[in-house]
Amino acid sequence: MILSELIDLDILRVIWWVLLGVLLIGFALTDGFDMGVGALLPFVGKSDVERRVVINTIGPVWEGNQVWFILGGGAIFAAWPPLYAVSFSGFYLAMFTVLAALILRPVGFKYRSKRDSAAWRNGWDWALFVGGAVPALLFGVAVGNVLLGVPFHLSDDLMSFYDGNFFTKFVGLLRPFALLSGVVSLSMLLMHGAAWLTLKTEGPVQIRARTIGTYAGIVAAVTYALAGVWLAFGVEGFHMVGEVPANGPSNPLYNEVARGGSWLAAYSLRPWIVIAPIMGFVGIAMAVMGLRAGREVSTLLWSKLAITGIISSVGLTMFPFILPSIVDPNSSLSVWDSSSSQQTLFVMLVMAVIFVPIILAYTAWVYKVLWGKVTEEEITGSGHSY
């Protein structure tokens, strides 16, 4: 017997759907506070030393946090090839914008203090702001577009085609609901960044972070609730027609899909998934109260719970769909018809079981070594700080 046959294809598909969600959540939990801190930089740091304190809270860890982003992209490429092909081609301009913004972060870290000029450093501070705020916003816009459905269709030989020209592919993503989802993402990560700064800083920087983070958390809760209402009454959902074989061929055109009803119908079919939005709202509420009360470790943990719940609610609500099509619903990509082969998924699972614990252990060790607050005395007295 071939080893890959030890686990059925349908089980492997669900496992990799879960693992993809774990990788995306891991990215949001770690690199999310990096982006939040970058977006907060010009507002929580008023002097050059204060801004250097803010930068040095994430400077030693941001590169390691990017691992989750790379792993997520790799998982999409290897486990869900049609998703990689369709999304990376259709969202090309948006992804290019995100990558361009992310590139500003390492460049800003390296070059900001190369010249003792207020204008020079202020310019790089705003570049770091762009490197944090733009990806945080556009990631949410992308999620909103996935919920709305993407204007693509597949030919008989599974080539993907998008409606519109090169420019409208980007502008067409800026739909009202998608922009609202972007606000949810941005405010959520601003709260998360503020929770991180509350843990890692003290004095005026910490006070400003707590104040801004509190307002960001309130905005996140309100916009998340509004997005839920909009999904219930203003966005058509997708559903499979007839019986769908969970271990069927990896051909999206094999199954019949129809539009209609609400995405939130999933909560009547699988009532247990209500735990995800509950985690989102409870996490936000407790994080906001923690910020107001000046709590540190627990506030960051509650913020992580909020992010986990919000992202999980999207995946659980859409299951089994991964990327629905508003042009041709039958071209929609789902868990059951868009995966790699059984052997590929099994080999990747073995690699994940080996290497993900190693990454987690190394990450935990790094944060243990770097535990503690970043102070102005350390920044001004060390030649190794940013």
Side-chain angles (χ1 to χ4, degrees):
M1 176 185 291
I2 300 176
L3 287 177
S4 60
E5 295 178 357
L6 294 175
I7 305 179
D8 292 338
L9 178 58
D10 56 338
I11 297 176
L12 284 170
R13 283 170 166 167
V14 173
I15 289 174
W16 272 103
W17 174 78
V18 172
L19 285 176
L20 178 58
V22 169
L23 293 175
L24 294 178
I25 291 172
F27 171 64
L29 295 182
T30 55
D31 207 46
F33 68 70
D34 293 343
M35 290 184 284
V37 168
L40 289 170
L41 175 62
F43 311 104
V44 296
K46 298 301 182 181
S47 67
D48 180 64
V49 173
E50 288 180 350
R51 292 187 177 185
R52 289 182 65 195
V53 167
V54 173
I55 292 171
N56 278 272
T57 64
I58 59 174
V61 298
W62 74 269
E63 288 179 291
N65 294 338
Q66 291 279 99
V67 167
W68 297 100
F69 186 47
I70 297 169
L71 288 176
I76 293 174
F77 173 77
W80 311 99
L83 174 62
Y84 182 90
V86 174
S87 61
F88 275 63
S89 59
F91 294 165
Y92 182 82
L93 277 178
M95 290 186 177
F96 181 85
T97 303
V98 168
L99 290 176
L102 289 175
I103 289 171
L104 290 175
R105 183 164 53 186
V107 177
F109 288 156
K110 299 299 182 182
Y111 282 92
R112 181 189 183 277
S113 297
K114 294 297 184 182
R115 292 178 58 185
D116 189 13
S117 164
W120 171 269
R121 295 186 174 189
N122 186 62
W124 284 115
D125 289 339
W126 283 104
L128 290 170
F129 164 80
V130 172
V134 170
L137 176 68
L138 290 184
F139 283 136
V141 170
V143 171
N145 275 281
V146 170
L147 285 164
L148 290 170
V150 180
F152 75 94
H153 68 276
L154 301 176
S155 64
D156 292 339
D157 55 0
L158 299 185
M159 290 186 63
S160 62
F161 297 89
Y162 273 77
D163 285 0
N165 57 41
F166 190 70
F167 179 73
T168 57
K169 285 180 183 179
F170 179 77
V171 176
L173 299 177
L174 305 179
R175 293 177 280 182
F177 177 80
L179 290 173
L180 175 65
S181 300
V183 174
V184 175
S185 175
L186 177 60
S187 56
M188 173 182 75
L189 295 184
L190 285 174
M191 178 188 72
H192 197 42
W196 175 255
L197 288 175
T198 299
L199 176 67
K200 296 292 290 182
T201 64
E202 57 188 13
V205 171
Q206 186 190 64
I207 294 172
R208 296 185 196 111
R210 286 168 50 193
T211 300
I212 299 174
T214 299
Y215 288 116
I218 294 172
V219 172
V222 172
T223 52
Y224 182 49
L226 180 58
V229 174
W230 199 328
L231 269 183
F233 300 104
V235 177
E236 275 192 311
F238 291 75
H239 60 272
M240 296 286 191
V241 177
E243 185 177 353
V244 179
N247 58 351
S250 293
N251 182 351
L253 301 178
Y254 183 79
N255 298 307
E256 185 178 354
V257 177
R259 294 193 69 185
S262 169
W263 280 120
L264 301 190
Y267 290 87
S268 61
L269 297 175
R270 304 183 295 274
W272 61 270
I273 68 175
V274 73
I275 187 64
I278 289 176
M279 288 168 56
F281 284 116
V282 170
I284 292 175
M286 296 301 294
V288 168
M289 288 191 289
L291 287 168
R292 288 177 59 86
R295 292 189 288 269
E296 298 180 357
V297 175
S298 63
T299 299
L300 184 64
L301 294 177
W302 284 117
S303 179
K304 290 179 181 291
L305 180 70
I307 292 172
T308 301
I310 290 173
I311 296 177
S312 297
S313 67
V314 176
L316 292 171
T317 298
M318 291 184 60
F319 185 86
F321 291 97
I322 304 176
L323 189 66
S325 168
I326 57 175
V327 175
D328 176 24
N330 288 336
S331 296
S332 299
L333 309 182
S334 78
V335 172
W336 308 130
D337 55 29
S338 304
S339 74
S340 294
S341 68
Q342 185 172 359
Q343 184 173 1
T344 299
L345 295 179
F346 180 80
V347 172
M348 287 177 57
L349 180 60
V350 172
M351 295 298 102
V353 169
I354 295 173
F355 289 105
V356 170
I358 295 175
I359 295 172
L360 289 173
Y362 174 76
T363 301
W365 177 77
V366 168
Y367 280 95
K368 181 178 183 299
V369 171
L370 296 173
W371 187 259
K373 292 185 178 294
V374 179
T375 64
E376 293 188 10
E377 290 75 17
E378 288 179 331
I379 297 301
T380 55
S382 172
H384 299 288
S385 60
Y386 288 102

